[in-house]
Amino acid sequence: MEDAFSLTRGIRDGRTSAEAVVRDALAAITAQDGALNCFTAVLGERALAAARAVAADRRAGRALGPLAGVPFAVKNLFDVAGLTTLAGSRTLAGRPPAARDATLVSRLCGAGAVLVGALNMDAYAYGFTTENSHYGPTRNPWDPERIAGGSSGGSAAAVAAGLVPLSLGSDTNGSIRVPASLCGVFGLKPTFGRLPRTGSYPFVADLDHLGPFTTSARDLAQVYDVLQGPDAADPACTRRAPEPVMPVLDDGVSGLRVGRLSGYFDRWAGEQARRASALAAQALGAAGEVTLPEVERARAAAFVVTASQGGALRLPELLARYDEIEPHSRDRLVAGAMTPAAWLVKAQKLRAWFLRQALAVFEDWDVLVAPATPVPATRIGEDWLELDGQRLPLRPSLGLLTQPISCIGLPVAVAPMAGLGPLPIGVQLIAAPWREDLCLRAARALERAGVARFVAPGGIA
Amino acid sequence: MNTKNLARQDVAVEDVEPFVRAGCSALGLELDEAALQRVAGVFAMNARIASLVTSFDLPEAEDPLPLTRLD
């Protein structure tokens, strides 16, 4: 499937139609999703009606939106009118359907994009593998015996497999960046508070972010521009006016101070991840290596906040329906619910302190490069990971390199690095708060240099 | 019970088990013994990770509020 930019251009030019594009997407889902398990709901009627509306607008000469006719799908924690919002959990399946679309879904539809379905995820977004016991694992399009990453695994795998050119996911500790890296697609976790979360199922209010997956940096910027804007219904959402990136996307990185994160980010990176980071840094003209202080403690703070808030939020279900809760997260939720308050308060203080240290670093640097995951996709069912000579529990460790960054809300784009091995891996391009433009310019520069690019599964990653 | 003593690198499952039993009771969670042992195992891991937080000396004046907004 072409990227969103090309599809929309083809629809505008009359080389194809929105209906044909959406029918192709629905056919691809029918043909391939049985093997991948990305989708938990497919909205054929709604999608075709929306595609026909785009076609009618074009025939009538009405202005088409920037994403006119582009099929997209969303992690099933986004409200979709008429669907029950599952958040990956069987315990939520009996709730009534959502009355309206989530704010970000509405914004994409308002730009002409066509919603075709809802996507699989780790239960409650508490996981990095999308090995969902109730809805089945989502399989990596590069190797169906391997994980897609999580918790937005369906969102990344659906884009990588070419079922849709665009999807939405959420990222609390790495749930956009980890699956983007393991599936070889572009992803964006914007600044905390940049995009409204209204109509999405919460996990950890202090850390939850929403964002897109695409097959190109250009699409990522275009979609991000459509998604921006304040929303009074989400108290964490900024009141800043949108700051469009498309006008500056091709400005390149000349003049930007790029550094490569070392120390902790090298220690917990495997060989391919370190090569990816080094190659991206070199291509961006990095001037040196950068260390952040106390990164391991920042990651621990994210871990404590997640366990505590995530467990507390789920406590009513733990009390009422313990046996029905996802086994991969049930015990973690219970343990988290009894986190001493003193630990949580200290973790929040540590986050504030760590943010100040990071802001001081950004006085000298504009973009920081780091691997997105320690390793490429591991096998489904695997429990352990060998890193730095240590045997670590695999599921939480996939977020080792993402958690310290989202813990202080910094914006991050993930770019898939080309040609480093049989499986893809991505790099994080990190900037100061509200500087998504720099993350996306760096991703675009890597893409234009041919260093980062989306490759359809089956090619050389 | 002193929770600070649980947040340490060498904490063992048996060290946290009394706290986990009391915690489950306080929260109203009735778990069988196998589940309780699993939860104690997770809690011990959480406590080891939390020790990196609790052992760090922060400035006294550090803002205790969460980072709800960055603007």
Side-chain angles (χ1 to χ4, degrees):
Chain A
M1 181 173 273
E2 295 175 88
D3 73 356
F5 184 91
S6 304
L7 285 174
T8 294
R9 192 170 54 188
I11 290 167
R12 285 174 192 281
D13 294 349
R15 281 185 284 114
T16 185
S17 70
E19 191 170 347
V21 168
V22 168
R23 283 192 189 282
D24 284 349
L26 294 171
I29 294 165
T30 301
Q32 295 182 52
D33 198 51
L36 296 174
N37 195 33
C38 302
F39 281 79
T40 53
V42 179
L43 302 164
E45 279 184 32
R46 171 178 167 158
L48 288 170
R52 284 192 280 269
V54 171
D57 283 345
R58 183 177 178 277
R59 279 195 304 274
R62 288 188 285 268
L64 298 182
L67 297 171
V70 173
F72 77 102
V74 297
K75 187 174 184 175
N76 71 27
L77 57 62
F78 285 85
D79 283 352
V80 172
L83 284 186
T84 295
T85 307
L86 297 174
S89 173
R90 189 169 64 187
T91 59
L92 302 177
R95 298 193 318 153
R100 62 188 65 82
D101 291 342
T103 297
L104 294 190
V105 175
S106 295
R107 287 181 180 175
L108 288 180
C109 293
V114 175
L115 181 66
V116 300
L119 297 160
N120 199 17
M121 57 182 283
D122 284 292
Y124 309 117
Y126 202 3
F128 288 123
T129 63
T130 314
E131 294 168 294
N132 189 306
S133 301
H134 298 147
Y135 299 101
T138 292
R139 295 177 180 277
N140 193 310
W142 283 88
D143 178 349
E145 298 304 312
R146 293 180 186 270
I147 59 168
S151 63
S152 311
S155 304
V159 170
L163 307 183
V164 284
L166 158 65
S167 67
L168 294 181
S170 68
D171 187 318
T172 301
N173 284 297
S175 287
I176 287 173
R177 292 162 288 160
V178 169
S181 176
L182 302 191
C183 290
V185 299
F186 288 85
L188 178 68
K189 184 206 79 63
T191 307
F192 181 79
R194 172 70 89 174
L195 301 182
R197 302 170 299 183
T198 313
S200 67
Y201 202 82
F203 174 33
V204 180
D206 284 344
L207 299 173
D208 289 344
H209 307 67
L210 305 177
F213 296 85
T214 65
T215 59
S216 71
R218 185 177 54 186
D219 276 4
L220 204 60
Q222 178 66 78
V223 173
Y224 168 63
D225 283 355
V226 166
L227 294 174
Q228 289 187 60
D231 178 2
D234 178 356
C237 186
T238 184
R239 287 185 282 271
R240 297 164 76 103
E243 296 168 284
V245 172
M246 281 301 277
V248 300
L249 183 65
D250 284 321
D251 282 1
V253 291
S254 177
L256 294 185
R257 302 163 299 173
V258 179
R260 190 182 75 82
L261 281 173
S262 58
Y264 173 96
F265 293 91
D266 279 339
R267 180 185 177 198
W268 297 116
E271 189 267 337
Q272 188 174 334
R274 280 198 300 272
R275 277 196 293 135
S277 171
L279 180 61
Q282 183 186 27
L284 293 171
E289 296 192 345
V290 181
T291 55
L292 290 168
E294 304 293 353
V295 183
E296 194 126 29
R297 294 185 197 273
R299 188 253 175 174
F303 192 98
V304 170
V305 172
T306 300
S308 175
Q309 291 191 5
L313 188 66
R314 298 271 70 84
L315 188 56
E317 284 159 81
L318 291 167
L319 290 168
R321 307 174 69 176
Y322 177 84
D323 290 334
E324 295 172 62
I325 292 178
E326 161 68 68
H328 286 307
S329 48
R330 186 169 56 200
D331 299 332
R332 292 190 292 154
L333 291 167
V334 174
M338 58 183 75
T339 302
W343 297 3
L344 175 63
V345 171
K346 187 75 181 279
Q348 297 286 30
K349 287 185 178 185
L350 204 152
R351 287 176 63 215
W353 176 87
F354 185 61
L355 174 63
R356 277 208 308 284
Q357 312 313 306
L359 293 179
V361 167
F362 280 113
E363 288 178 9
D364 298 321
W365 302 93
D366 296 306
V367 176
L368 301 176
V369 181
T373 49
V375 292
T378 52
R379 293 192 181 281
I380 291 170
E382 219 163 283
D383 291 323
W384 298 97
L385 178 65
E386 189 88 24
L387 273 180
D388 193 35
Q390 293 186 44
R391 188 169 179 257
L392 304 172
L394 181 133
R395 291 181 181 87
S397 300
L398 286 172
L400 274 168
L401 305 175
T402 52
Q403 277 183 285
I405 307 301
S406 41
C407 144
I408 50 173
L410 303 178
V412 189
V414 168
M417 297 300 291
L420 294 176
L423 294 168
I425 202 162
V427 292
Q428 299 184 89
L429 304 161
I430 307 157
W434 314 114
R435 296 310 307 268
E436 287 86 349
D437 58 321
L438 300 181
C439 306
L440 290 162
R441 277 171 59 188
R444 178 66 168 159
L446 289 177
E447 185 179 47
R448 294 186 77 173
V451 174
R453 67 174 183 273
F454 169 71
V455 176
I460 303 294
Chain B
M1 251 176 302
N2 182 342
T3 58
K4 185 161 186 176
N5 286 343
L6 297 184
R8 60 178 205 269
Q9 284 293 308
D10 63 349
V11 75
V13 175
E14 53 267 31
D15 297 331
V16 306
E17 193 186 302
F19 178 84
V20 169
R21 283 186 192 280
C24 285
S25 175
L27 294 172
L29 273 164
E30 294 175 14
L31 302 185
D32 61 31
E33 190 58 27
L36 201 134
Q37 289 301 320
R38 287 198 311 271
V39 171
V42 174
F43 191 88
M45 183 186 75
N46 290 0
R48 287 190 283 273
I49 293 173
S51 72
L52 292 171
V53 173
T54 59
S55 65
F56 187 53
D57 286 328
L58 285 167
E60 281 297 316
E62 197 60 62
D63 186 352
L65 296 175
L67 302 170
T68 47
R69 297 179 71 99
L70 290 170
D71 58 352

